[in-house]
Amino acid sequence: MENKVHYKLFKNGKFLCTMALSTVAVLTTLGATNIHADTNVQSEQTSQSAYQQKASQNEQQLSDLAAANATKEANAANSYAQANQQSANATSQQIADVQNQYAQKKQQVEQQIQAASDAMASSVASQTQVINNSAASATSATQQANAASEAQMQSANAAAIAQAQQQAQEAAAHSAATISAANSNYQVAVNSANATHQLATSAANADYTANVNNENNTYSANQQQVKNDVTAAQNAVNQAQQDVTDHTTTQTVTVPGQKRTIDHITNAATKRGDSVVWGDTSTWLSPIGQESDYRKPVYYNLTLGTYPGQTPYSRADATNHATPYDFTHVPTNVSEMPIDFQPGLLIYNPDLDTSEVVSPDGFTEAQKQTLRAFMTSWANSFRNWIYNNDRDVWNEANKFSYFKDQAPRELKFTTTMNTAGNKIGQMRTDAGLTNDQHTIPSATTNVDYAKAIPLIDITGQQIGNYMINAAQSNSENLMTVEPSIADNAKPTMLNYLISAYNMTQAMWYGEIYSNGLGGHVSSILDNTHGYITGGFEKMTPTTYSNEANDNKKSSRENYLFSHDMPIYAFTYDMYDYVPYVMSFDDELTALSALPNDQKVVDEYNKIQSTIDNAMGQEIQDPTFMSAVSYEKNGDGSHTETKQVTPQQYTDALSNAKSHLTQVTNDANSKLQQLTQTHQDHLKNLENIRDNAIKQADATLQKAVEQAKQTRDNKIAEAKGSQVNIDALKKSLDEKYQQLVASDKAKLDKIETDRQNAIKQIKANARSEYDAKLKELGIDDQAVQAQIKQLQDAHETFVKENADKLAQLKTEDAKAYSDLKIKLDAELAALMPKHETNTNHSSDVINTGDHTIVLPSTDEKDAAQEHSSVNSDNSRSTVSLAEKNNNFDNQTQTSVATANVDTNNDDTAVTALKVNATESATMTRKEYKQQTKKLPQTGNSQSLVLVALGTLTSMFGLGLMRKRRY
């Protein structure tokens, strides 16, 4: 059984140290074993005793320092509080003295103040009377003048109205004569306009009739011409039909058979996401970058969907795919393999594969030749596809060659090329190259694909302004050819061909990036190449390499080697040997056609003949040709005896019939168009006539309106010459009302001036009164400013004392912390040397025999972890009393009492306000936060809190008790 004893060491009343002493079970056996155990117990007890003694010394030293600090801080707080109180008393007395002196001064000059006030009232009264008298006189004079001017204007207005009435009678007689003449002229103008309108309408109708007759004649002639074209086309068909009959003979012809539709996957990325598993994921060829890094999405998909020796879809893929895949659209034998190389991956189904199995010894010479023939066809179709569908890529690959902007040259696979492929494969085998090493001379001797073909003497010749030469360079694509093992597939020729087809897709289409071309695609698209072959090197477990996988073989690769399924490093080797003619006028581009110079043509043919003789005949591989035949005629084609007509006559008949159909369709269309055009023309002629009549109508209307406007203007002018008596009366009345308003404004101004003068008199008298008071020394604002200055000086004194006390407490806290860190380090050095600490915290160390709790740097955490320290002996009651000397009564202040728990931050602390009946209650945590602030020693409440904090610290030190558990 293990006994634990806890010792409580207080740091500001809250530090705990726990030690665990373990009893040692003494074995009842005899001999040296018992002696050794007793020695260990004695050593451990000695070590523990020294540790406990040092802990007690540390506790006492820390307690002494804390007590000294508390005493010093309490004395300083009391001293500052007394000084603050003395300053407050002095300030209050000074303010009272200022106020008393000011009151006495006002009492001394009270009679002079009253005299000044009486003088101000007398001055205002006398000056106001003068202003009122002047204003009354001005008002009377103005009223008389206004009445005279208004009477004079009324008399003048009456005379003007009488004269106007006489003029109005004379004007009325003249106006009547003018109106009569205007009406007569209007009728004459209307009659003339009607006559002009009648002539224009008759002319429009006559033109319309003549134009309609001409349009009908033209329409009939056009219809006849269309019918004549149909007749001529029918005669041509009759003649072509007669020619077919005359030239038809009996012949034997080939009838095409059935051909399977082969699927090409062009969205491999999407399909891979839909399928369950696509082979061994460790061997995937992942593209670099995102889809946007490729010229077209299909290039990205092809790269993402291919990897060595695998094929999209397996039996599991087909079964679990969202839409079951139809495996009937896949090649079933070599003859069904595509000879073209359009973008898209092929699917391999081993269950339908009927091709021959490749021996574990590897490809035969015939099989190698077949593979080379297929790959040659793929290379040529790839070059043609890029040229026709992605011309920018073609031009980028050929921008530095003599043959840029020219159509692709056909890469030839000849007998010499077939032999060269065997030589390259043997070079690689003899040198032990891996499938990641090109056939180049580098550090390996006798390895150079340039040496696989004979040296040809094709030295260039200069003739006139032309240079005749042949390009002489070569390049190589390297890839791995291996069979798929999906669904336990066998290493058949079809298996190898489909895997090679898919891998080559990634090597060529998959290297067409948006920012350039990869090395494989650049070299295969180089238009300087004229010949191609392929080298086969059979891999062994020691030569097989995979740089992308740190040369570690996957489970699939180990399966291939363990089951004797051949893996090959295959090289596409391209050779130039392409003759060209270059003009010295443009030495950067080869001519696309031979110049009209016989010597140049002869030299060119000589070089071409030399190359043809050296390269041998083009190979017509039987197996590959069966695929060509299947591509052309399908499976099951046969010959039949049929009536055969030379194509030129059947084509002529077909063309004639097509022409007749076209002419007939055109005739129907033209006739409809002619009819529509005819109707449009008639409608247009009708519109022309209607527009002419509308124009005549508009001209008539405009002439009538203009005559009416002229008449109305004359009448209005005649009526306007009459005198308007009512308007005259209104105008004269408005002028009279303006005069009355002006007269009233004069009277209003006299009253406004009077009021403003009286206001100014009162303001001047008040200013003189205030100046008199200042001469007597009476100034309320100056007295208030003096009192404010005294109050500010006292508040500054209090703040400076509070800052000094806060600085003292900061220095004491730092001294205590520095001492504690030093003593804790010394105590830790006395621990037993055989500790087996399993608790890596900074506060607890487990030695195996007992537990040591080191001093915590967080007072709050220590208190919370060891709450048992809150015993009855740790509580005390503190009573404080304080006087307030700010009042004459010298009354006794209320008493502040607080129960202090030195370990619980949430213990309530009650502090009573000075000279108040209410109390304020706060938790221990709030009290600690309050005491951390700068002490406000300028009031009695803060003094209570300072004393309370001092006593709390004192009660928290030096108390130590032991409790057993």
Side-chain angles (χ1 to χ4, degrees), residues 381-447:
S381 357
F382 171 70
R383 287 158 62 92
N384 289 325
W385 193 93
I386 292 296
Y387 178 80
N388 293 316
N389 296 278
D390 206 339
R391 185 65 59 85
D392 290 342
V393 171
W394 174 261
N395 289 336
E396 181 177 347
N398 290 282
K399 60 185 176 181
F400 297 119
S401 71
Y402 293 144
F403 304 106
K404 61 183 179 180
D405 296 326
Q406 296 186 18
R409 298 176 182 276
E410 181 182 1
L411 299 175
K412 297 179 181 180
F413 175 52
T414 66
T415 53
T416 299
M417 287 292 98
N418 193 46
T419 303
N422 291 333
K423 290 181 180 179
I424 293 171
Q426 191 62 47
M427 285 182 189
R428 297 180 59 83
T429 301
D430 294 343
L433 299 182
T434 70
N435 53 311
D436 285 324
Q437 291 178 288
H438 278 279
T439 317
I440 55 177
S442 64
T444 306
T445 58
N446 298 324
V447 176

Side-chain angles (χ1 to χ4, degrees), residues 363 368-369 371-372 375-376 413 417-429 434-435 437 439 449 452 475-481 532-539 567-575:
F363 294 132
K368 290 180 181 179
Q369 178 177 286
L371 287 167
R372 291 182 184 123
M375 292 182 171
T376 298
F413 175 52
M417 287 292 98
N418 193 46
T419 303
N422 291 333
K423 290 181 180 179
I424 293 171
Q426 191 62 47
M427 285 182 189
R428 297 180 59 83
T429 301
T434 70
N435 53 311
Q437 291 178 288
T439 317
Y449 59 85
S475 61
E476 180 175 89
N477 281 185
L478 174 60
M479 60 182 286
T480 303
V481 175
I532 189 170
T533 188
F536 290 90
E537 177 195 2
K538 185 181 179 183
M539 293 286 96
I567 302 175
Y568 281 90
F570 176 76
T571 60
Y572 273 103
D573 294 282
M574 289 75 68
Y575 299 90

Side-chain angles (χ1 to χ4, degrees), residues 119 471 499 633 734 760 939:
S499 295
N633 299 316
E734 288 176 353
Q760 185 61 44
N939 56 72

